[in-house]
Amino acid sequence: MINVGVVGASGYTGLELVKMLVTHPGFELTYLATTQGDTSIEALHPSLEGVITLTVEKADVDAVANACELVFLALPHKASMGFAKGLIEKGVKVVDLSADYRLELDTYEAHYCEHEDKAHLDESVYALIEYYREDLKKARLAAGPGCYPTATLLGILPFIPYIDTAAPLFVDAKSGVSGAGKKLSETTHFVTVNDNIFAYNPLKHRHAPEIAEKIEKIHGAKMNVNFVPHLIPATRGELISVYATLKEDIDPLEVLKKHYADDKFIRIREKPVDIKSTAGTHFCDIFAAKNGNALFVNSAIDNLLRGASSQALAAANLMCGYDEGMGLPVISYIP
């Protein structure tokens, strides 16, 4: 068994990590922390009463290093990199769920803040599992992709060789409210969200440059990504619709089936996807169709799991020599 910890156990992604680690056959959960500490996991999350009893400490680099071989950082951007730097220097493997290590330096500083750990940024591995699997096996620092980029990239990347990359790429994204985290705001207030749907940060959201950067890194193609996220009255789940222009005639479903033939957590669907079928799982469901040279790609994930915590766990599995799918949830929340 490998000892692991979670820093940022109070949030939704921290909770999802704890839920998976409790039953993981290869990891022993030995350390939990928040920025305040002085509580227990059952007090933070009453749903875990009778499932796990563990003290939640105030986050401390030395304490993590003494207790863990690998740690998950479920912290906001900026907070994460300051903590990760000390852990890496002490030999602890890190899986970071924030944005701090997932982007190139120029992209990060243009859309977030000044980076405080440039020394380790270049060695981070982007944890989009299907595309960086072999790199993750050798990594000591994994950077979790954003939830929107995960669903978008898994859907569109197989088609980049067949589309006109000079034409704009349009991404219509819809997410459950849990994607905004636990912090209360007017936007996520029940009265605002219930029986409602609306776009936020259209064409300005900072996940757009992440999508564009990874398309260029993986395929060498520079694309104009037009990204519009929406909040929907659902707790969890994410639905992505991508619109592109084909430059040659293809069978979209055959392209997907061939591309992901060996990826057991990608399910190619024969009709448009829905969020309920992936809720509570690590699966990404993808559908695609065309009308002449117009391409439609439709993908769905659980934003808290495949979009964050289960993808982080898959990365940790690979980093520690385990099977990628060990301990990952596969049963959806149906009905």
Side-chain angles (χ1 to χ4, degrees):
M1 297 288 280
I2 294 174
N3 292 340
V4 301
V6 177
V7 177
S10 61
Y12 294 139
T13 56
L15 171 60
E16 294 296 337
L17 283 166
V18 172
K19 287 160 61 177
M20 291 183 289
L21 291 169
V22 164
T23 57
H24 195 282
F27 291 140
E28 183 74 25
L29 185 56
T30 57
Y31 181 87
L32 292 173
T34 63
T35 53
Q36 286 82 32
D38 194 28
T39 186
S40 67
I41 193 63
E42 312 99 288
L44 283 177
H45 303 291
S47 61
L48 295 177
E49 181 76 36
V51 177
I52 179 175
T53 299
L54 197 62
T55 299
V56 176
E57 303 178 21
K58 183 174 181 179
D60 178 78
V61 169
D62 290 331
V64 174
N66 288 333
C68 307
E69 297 172 61
L70 179 145
V71 67
F72 299 91
L73 299 183
L75 296 169
H77 75 270
K78 193 171 184 179
S80 205
M81 59 181 148
F83 208 78
K85 180 180 179 181
L87 291 169
I88 296 166
E89 290 171 353
K90 288 182 176 292
V92 179
K93 292 182 179 180
V94 173
V95 181
D96 179 34
L97 279 70
S98 83
D100 284 354
Y101 293 95
R102 67 171 69 135
L103 297 166
E104 295 293 320
L105 178 62
D106 290 346
T107 309
Y108 180 87
E109 294 193 336
H111 297 279
Y112 289 88
C113 61
E114 183 179 356
H115 207 284
E116 299 174 6
D117 186 24
K118 297 178 179 68
H120 295 116
L121 183 60
D122 287 343
E123 70 175 272
S124 69
V125 176
Y126 192 64
L128 189 65
I129 303 301
E130 284 73 13
Y131 293 87
Y132 291 92
R133 187 177 282 119
E134 295 305 312
D135 292 328
L136 286 165
K137 292 177 181 179
K138 301 172 286 185
R140 62 174 182 167
L141 171 60
C147 55
Y148 284 131
T150 292
T152 302
L153 290 167
L154 289 174
I156 196 60
L157 282 173
F159 295 104
I160 300 300
Y162 308 105
I163 65 176
D164 180 1
T165 55
L169 189 72
F170 291 93
V171 183
D172 178 298
K174 298 177 176 68
S175 178
V177 185
S178 59
K182 260 190 171 181
K183 187 177 180 181
L184 299 177
S185 71
E186 181 180 355
T187 302
T188 58
H189 192 290
F190 175 82
V191 177
T192 303
V193 175
N194 186 49
D195 291 333
N196 201 6
I197 182 171
F198 51 88
Y200 62 97
N201 291 337
L203 307 177
K204 297 179 181 179
H205 196 283
R206 54 195 179 193
H207 280 170
E210 181 179 343
I211 295 166
E213 180 183 281
K214 302 313 173 186
I215 289 174
E216 183 174 4
K217 286 184 74 68
I218 292 170
H219 281 292
K222 289 187 177 183
M223 295 203 69
N224 176 14
V225 176
N226 297 279
F227 176 75
V228 182
H230 301 74
L231 205 60
I232 62 174
T235 299
R236 63 200 303 154
E238 195 160 275
L239 185 73
I240 304 292
S241 295
V242 186
Y243 304 92
T245 303
L246 290 166
K247 63 182 181 181
E248 60 184 273
D249 189 35
I250 61 168
D251 182 330
L253 288 179
E254 287 305 311
V255 168
L256 287 171
K257 289 174 183 177
K258 182 178 180 180
H259 189 88
Y260 288 122
D262 299 322
D263 294 302
K264 59 184 178 181
F265 291 106
I266 304 291
R267 300 188 297 197
I268 310 307
R269 299 300 202 178
E270 299 290 331
K271 60 182 181 179
V273 300
D274 66 277
I275 62 173
K276 197 73 174 177
S277 295
T278 57
T281 81
H282 182 67
F283 288 116
C284 176
D285 288 357
I286 310 175
F287 167 80
K290 69 180 179 70
N291 179 23
N293 69 344
L295 176 69
F296 167 64
V297 184
N298 194 207
S299 60
I301 62 170
D302 185 312
N303 56 295
L304 292 178
L305 288 171
R306 185 54 190 256
S309 300
S310 67
Q311 188 150 240
L313 182 56
N317 284 337
L318 292 168
M319 292 166 72
C320 294
Y322 292 142
D323 179 80
E324 171 189 326
M326 184 180 285
L328 298 184
V330 295
I331 305 299
S332 64
Y333 297 154
I334 297 289

